[in-house]
Amino acid sequence: MLEEKWGCLKSGTDIRGVATDGVEGERVNLTLDICETITQAFVLWLSDKTSASPDALTVSVGRDSRISGPAIADTVEKALSGCGVTVLSCGLASTPSMFMTTVDLDCDGAVQITASHHPFNRNGLKFFTREGGLESEDISELLEIAQRLSELFEQGDHSSLPQGKCGVIRPTDYMTDYSKRLREEIKKGVNSDDYDHPLKGFKIAVDAGNGAGGFYADKVLAPLGADTSGSRYLDPDGMFPNHVPNPENKAAMDSICEAVLTSKSDLGVIFDTDVDRGGAVDSTGSEINRNRLVAVAAAIALEGNEGGTIVTDSITSDGLKEFIEQTLGGRHRRFKRGYKNVINEAIRLNKEGVNCPLAIETSGHAAMRENYFLDDGAYLCTKIIIKAAQLRKEGKTLEDYISQLKEAKEELEVRYKINEHDFRTYGENVIENLNEYALTQEGWTLATDSAEGVRVSLDRDHGDGWFLLRLSVHDPIMPLNVESNIEGGAKQILAEAEKFIKTCDKLSV
């Protein structure tokens, strides 16, 4: 049983916490001592999983631009080497690149120090093996080991740790190799007459939000001939002074839209802090995000995979489903929110013989089978840029590519708090009751393809659209997503849904 000190650090498949002061009311709980103990636990866990002694292991370490990153990286590297592990110190790096060190550099494991899009005072640890990122149950096991080690350390017992000489810490510039991999992907995909400069005459703006993604403009696009002069916020700054590095954030998307229009770029791309998510903007300044991003990625993934299945999260639109199945000729599998849930479902389908080339969340997490089912924002944007360049040869644009996607007129999200200690049980009861309630409502039709929560379609007299009420993956929250095909419809659908929600005494806005 995990104590609160350790259990509170688990965030799905990551470890996250408050790593530095600066936000009132938020006490530091991811201390350097805790990071050291968790790292030592990872060594023991990885040694057991690989059946290799710690001094036979090689582990890479990277970090995003957060202000606490350098100190935590130093602590993690020393903890690894203190156990005899050979450490590849990669410095500022993207999360996907750290997994790729297990492919290209033959690392047994990798640690990325990041808290994704969360505020500057937070940080975390993300772990990889050659099989991919750790699962939720692996993180629980890791924290249990760390808790046991901590108890032994308090008693002065360090015998559980490997004894012997320290491992080497080797500075490693892997981001240069990773960037080259992306450049080669673009060269091969575009296959232009000027093979080494396939993006010559193409103007692309990059917004890294002062995270780890600035390399994409300087090390990937510019060497291929692209004009990246419209880019902004490429320099790493862990205080994130300009906007939250998050493609789902309105200010962030407004920023890249403005950058494209101001610089008259042909395309814009934006990343979250650690570059495992991406988004794009077309030449008109229109977002290629959420359902539009899924549509573009699905169209790309289904080329050569005719009839394949695209796995998405549960809140994708009816118009997207129609686009994937009727326009593209594929199949659409809605699944649970949470990027690991979506990825694991795609992996499961492939193991069962289903042709599934893409798993993607509307948040911007996109994992392609051809790229180890790794959610990699830079790889996604690379595929989009390749397609944009191919379309340009035909006199077409990305707007043309998804022109048949039907988009909702209105959408909204309301997040209801669950005011109950056992929030998961309460939320599950709400879902069960809503399923029964929906069957009694005129104009309501329960969806048959929803893998979580309750998804209801409503006819034109009741808002002409749909809503989905689900339980958050980690938090005591029930998000309600609404889309409508008519003006004023989203408000009408919300009113319909709230007739039921008002009967739930433990839910509040």
Side-chain angles (χ1 to χ4, degrees):
M1 190 73 164
L2 282 174
E3 298 172 2
E4 176 64 16
K5 172 183 176 180
W6 300 97
C8 69
L9 299 174
K10 182 181 177 184
S11 178
T13 55
D14 295 351
I15 286 168
R16 288 180 185 163
V18 178
T20 186
D21 293 320
V23 176
E24 186 177 353
E26 295 196 7
R27 181 179 57 84
V28 173
N29 60 0
L30 188 67
T31 65
L32 294 180
D33 286 345
I34 283 177
C35 289
E36 179 182 28
T37 305
I38 291 173
T39 303
Q40 292 164 334
F42 177 61
V43 173
L44 298 179
W45 181 91
L46 185 62
S47 178
D48 179 62
K49 296 298 178 185
T50 60
S51 300
S53 62
D55 60 4
L57 297 174
T58 299
V59 175
S60 62
V61 178
R63 62 174 177 84
D64 68 20
S65 60
R66 292 168 189 282
I67 59 173
S68 56
I72 295 177
D74 183 62
T75 297
V76 169
E77 289 171 3
K78 287 178 179 175
L80 288 168
S81 66
C83 292
V85 175
T86 297
V87 181
L88 303 188
S89 176
C90 297
L92 186 71
S94 72
T95 290
S97 74
M98 285 300 94
F99 167 75
M100 290 304 298
T101 63
T102 70
V103 177
D104 291 341
L105 305 182
D106 203 30
C107 290
D108 300 284
V111 185
Q112 172 72 350
I113 298 155
T114 181
S116 186
H117 60 280
H118 289 277
F120 76 93
N121 66 321
R122 294 177 176 269
N123 216 326
L125 304 173
K126 191 174 185 68
F127 298 95
F128 294 97
T129 68
R130 290 172 182 168
E131 283 69 50
L134 269 60
E135 301 291 343
S136 176
E137 54 269 27
D138 297 325
I139 296 298
S140 294
E141 185 179 350
L142 205 61
L143 287 169
E144 287 168 3
I145 297 171
Q147 181 174 287
R148 288 198 299 271
L149 286 177
S150 179
E151 292 168 354
L152 290 172
F153 296 164
E154 288 176 2
Q155 299 166 19
D157 183 355
H158 289 76
S159 61
S160 297
L161 296 181
Q163 307 297 314
K165 66 178 183 179
C166 289
V168 175
I169 300 177
R170 186 179 304 145
T172 304
D173 178 20
Y174 178 67
M175 287 304 294
T176 293
D177 295 338
Y178 174 77
S179 299
K180 181 180 178 181
R181 172 190 281 268
L182 295 177
R183 292 199 306 272
E184 292 302 318
E185 190 76 25
I186 294 173
K187 289 179 185 180
K188 181 177 65 175
V190 178
N191 194 27
S192 66
D193 293 336
D194 185 353
Y195 187 80
D196 289 328
H197 304 97
L199 301 181
K200 192 173 182 179
F202 221 135
K203 194 167 187 179
I204 304 173
V206 177
D207 187 330
N210 301 114
F215 77 94
Y216 196 75
D218 301 332
K219 291 189 174 183
V220 179
L221 300 182
L224 298 179
D227 178 351
T228 61
S229 59
S231 299
R232 52 176 59 174
Y233 316 139
L234 302 181
D235 295 332
D237 185 335
M239 293 300 292
F240 312 124
N242 295 292
H243 62 70
V244 176
N246 180 3
E248 285 193 290
N249 178 266
K250 184 179 185 304
M253 289 309 298
D254 286 348
S255 173
I256 185 60
C257 290
E258 180 188 24
V260 167
L261 292 174
T262 301
S263 63
K264 298 181 180 177
S265 292
D266 300 296
L267 185 70
V269 296
I270 184 170
F271 302 115
D272 71 344
T273 319
D274 61 326
V275 204
D276 62 358
R277 288 187 294 141
V281 174
D282 65 30
S283 61
T284 69
S286 299
E287 295 181 14
I288 302 174
N289 210 14
R290 298 179 63 80
N291 287 297
R292 300 185 89 224
L293 182 68
V294 178
V296 169
I300 292 170
L302 288 173
E303 291 182 9
N305 289 292
E306 289 75 12
T309 296
I310 305 298
V311 180
T312 75
D313 59 330
S314 59
I315 65 169
T316 47
S317 69
D318 292 341
L320 177 67
K321 186 176 189 67
E322 182 179 321
F323 179 74
I324 290 173
E325 297 192 342
Q326 297 184 23
T327 303
L328 301 179
R331 295 177 62 84
H332 182 201
R333 166 68 167 144
R334 285 196 185 104
F335 201 61
K336 301 173 185 176
R337 288 278 282 178
Y339 72 95
K340 283 291 283 185
N341 290 330
V342 174
I343 291 171
N344 287 343
E345 176 67 1
I347 293 172
R348 182 189 71 80
L349 289 172
N350 277 285
K351 286 180 178 178
E352 292 185 355
V354 177
N355 178 12
C356 179
L358 173 68
I360 183 168
E361 262 203 322
T362 48
S363 65
H365 281 286
M368 304 189 82
R369 182 177 58 200
E370 66 184 48
N371 191 43
Y372 306 94
F373 272 121
L374 174 66
D375 54 319
D376 185 343
Y379 191 85
L380 172 65
C381 289
T382 293
K383 298 295 287 189
I384 292 173
I385 288 168
I386 291 169
K387 177 50 61 179
Q390 291 172 343
L391 290 168
R392 185 172 63 164
K393 289 180 181 179
E394 304 169 14
K396 297 179 182 178
T397 65
L398 288 170
E399 300 97 286
D400 300 322
Y401 196 51
I402 57 170
S403 60
Q404 295 185 62
L405 173 67
K406 295 179 182 176
E407 300 188 69
K409 287 276 188 185
E410 297 179 340
E411 60 180 82
L412 58 84
E413 180 180 87
V414 181
R415 298 172 69 82
Y416 297 96
K417 298 176 185 175
I418 303 176
N419 304 300
E420 177 68 35
H421 178 70
D422 186 2
F423 69 87
R424 188 155 299 281
T425 298
Y426 184 83
E428 289 168 351
N429 287 335
V430 169
I431 296 298
E432 183 179 345
N433 293 337
L434 179 53
N435 263 309
E436 296 176 2
Y437 178 87
L439 295 173
T440 68
Q441 300 305 298
E442 183 180 351
W444 289 31
T445 304
L446 278 169
T448 58
D449 66 342
S450 183
E452 67 174 341
V454 181
R455 187 181 179 110
V456 176
S457 294
L458 294 94
D459 63 21
R460 189 169 182 84
D461 291 337
H462 296 83
D464 193 9
W466 58 271
F467 73 78
L468 171 71
L469 183 69
R470 62 184 177 85
L471 183 58
S472 172
V473 178
H474 309 301
D475 304 316
I477 297 289
M478 296 199 78
L480 177 75
N481 292 90
V482 176
E483 282 194 6
S484 173
N485 300 314
I486 57 176
E487 292 184 10
K491 188 174 181 180
Q492 185 179 357
I493 292 172
L494 177 60
E496 289 270 341
E498 286 197 325
K499 291 177 184 176
F500 167 78
I501 289 168
K502 287 176 181 176
T503 69
C504 305
D505 60 344
K506 301 296 184 182
L507 294 184
S508 65
V509 178

